[in-house]
Amino acid sequence: MISRLGTGADAAATAAALESLWAEGALVGLASPQDQGELAAALPERLETPSPWGPGVVIASGGSSGRRRWCVQPLAGLERAAVASGLWLQLQGIDPAATTLFNPLPLHHISGLMPLVRARRWGATLRWLEPAWMREPAALVEWAPSSDAGPALLSLVPTQLQRLLADPAGINWLQGFALIWIGGAALAPELAAAARRAGVRLAPCYGSTETGAMVTALSPERFLAGEWGCGHPLAHAQLRLEPASGALQVKATSLSPGAFEAGSFQPLEAPGGWWSSGDGARLSAAGLELLGRLDGALSSGGETVFPEEVERRLRDLAAEAGLPLQAVLVLGQRDPLWGQRLVALVRAQGGADGSALVAALETAAAALSPAQRPRQWFPCPQLAPNAIGKWERGRWLRWLQEATPTS
């Protein structure tokens, strides 16, 4: 049968239990305490031991697309991904075995699991950080990277980075890292600019639960020089675009074999070894540039609109105008004239007036093309991504439906 572990506050203890189960050849379901029921409903009642894939994990995916899947990730595939990221580090002049990995992300997310796999594969040091400390930079002082402990590495999501860059103590802490992988969600232009001003060595990357975390990365030097995108593929991965849809496709030795849904195993759809991510993208000599989720793309006035692109433009306009914008989310509603009309949910910073912010943003949005201009705007004080920085658009669509029951 499949073992299940709840990932509570004691990450080190959970990791030790996970290592013990892996040594027995177990496939281990990882979920937060709140998601244990959903995990149990997805898994079969029995699975032969050892599993067909050997030791590994079953871990949630699908937060960005709205479709939750419980992916199987064999340990062997995760270790191949760890080897590839180690080779990439060597190209940056960093010896993986000499590094110290700091992990503030939960084990039930692939981005929080991979530091454990990398450390055990590289022979590196792993230090666990309480996720709550990312909200209290002063608490990180005693966990500052030490120059005599080798290069310090960190993985963050944009929400965590934003909080740290807003506090001088957080900036000082970030400046101690040789490299900070940033992924899980789009990196806002103003956030990237703040990191560059502070000299924070970000390495934007791309990956997913299905790919065993990152399959591309941009070097800190290129990031600090002002380059955008997520860099080139790591050694274990290849990228291409699906001709008809423009979807990014990935072939990698760390691809998941599939996922459990309602007690049955569904193989990953990857004809010829190529898995379609569902992300619109461009590939160029500079590497990978993400456009947004294809399943979230909207057709407005006969034009295809990526909500993520509109959100980036709105954040840029707000920054240029000095508006107190904390968060913005663009959703689509059916419209007989436009096909879909864009609706923007807006959260103001601190105690700023949400209604005044909406009015100012609506004026600024005149600079966008007609198809990209939200037709309705709603202040939403509770608007926020989930714990790993992803937008659960289905949740906010339901909020919008409740806020506009007659629309």
Side-chain angles (χ1 to χ4, degrees), residues 311-402:
E311 290 157 8
R312 286 194 292 271
R313 294 288 307 279
L314 290 173
R315 289 194 296 264
D316 285 346
L317 292 169
E320 291 170 7
L323 301 178
L325 177 64
Q326 179 70 37
V328 60
L329 186 68
V330 173
L331 303 170
Q333 284 190 329
R334 291 182 182 177
D335 184 272
L337 177 62
W338 289 81
Q340 287 178 297
R341 70 177 186 271
L342 272 58
V343 178
L345 308 187
V346 175
R347 178 184 174 188
Q349 294 176 358
D353 185 339
S355 297
L357 173 60
V358 160
L361 272 177
E362 189 169 5
T363 299
L368 303 179
S369 68
Q372 290 186 322
R373 295 175 199 158
R375 301 286 150 177
Q376 286 185 289
W377 302 74
F378 292 91
C380 182
Q382 62 268 54
L383 183 67
N386 65 17
I388 61 166
K390 290 183 179 291
W391 285 105
E392 297 174 343
R393 293 180 185 271
R395 171 191 173 190
W396 296 108
L397 274 170
R398 291 190 292 272
W399 182 94
L400 180 61
Q401 290 165 358
E402 293 172 0

Side-chain angles (χ1 to χ4, degrees), residues 191-220:
L191 194 56
R196 290 186 180 111
R197 287 194 300 270
V200 174
R201 295 176 57 79
L202 294 187
C205 56
Y206 173 79
S208 68
T209 304
E210 289 86 352
T211 65
M214 65 179 172
V215 290
T216 77
L218 183 73
S219 72

Side-chain angles (χ1 to χ4, degrees), residues 224-245:
L224 290 172
E227 290 193 41
W228 286 95
C230 303
H232 294 284
L234 275 59
H236 73 309
Q238 302 173 59
L239 305 181
R240 72 180 188 186
L241 299 182
E242 201 281 321
S245 67

Side-chain angles (χ1 to χ4, degrees), residues 62-80:
S64 56
S65 66
R67 182 188 175 200
R68 177 66 74 87
R69 292 162 52 87
W70 291 92
C71 288
V72 173
Q73 265 298 356
L75 180 58
L78 297 179
E79 289 185 330
R80 286 191 286 268

Side-chain angles (χ1 to χ4, degrees), residues 124-194:
T125 301
L126 178 60
R127 300 182 72 178
W128 299 98
L129 301 174
E130 291 287 345
W133 294 348
M134 299 297 102
R135 301 184 183 91
E136 303 173 9
L140 292 168
V141 174
E142 63 179 294
W143 295 95
S146 172
S147 58
D148 60 3
L153 310 180
L154 179 67
S155 294
L156 291 177
V157 296
T159 301
Q160 294 172 321
L161 177 66
Q162 182 175 24
R163 290 179 180 135
L164 292 167
L165 286 175
D167 189 302
I171 293 174
N172 289 338
W173 187 70
L174 291 170
Q175 289 170 336
F177 286 90
L179 184 147
I180 300 171
W181 284 301
I182 184 84
L187 182 63
E190 64 272 19
L191 194 56

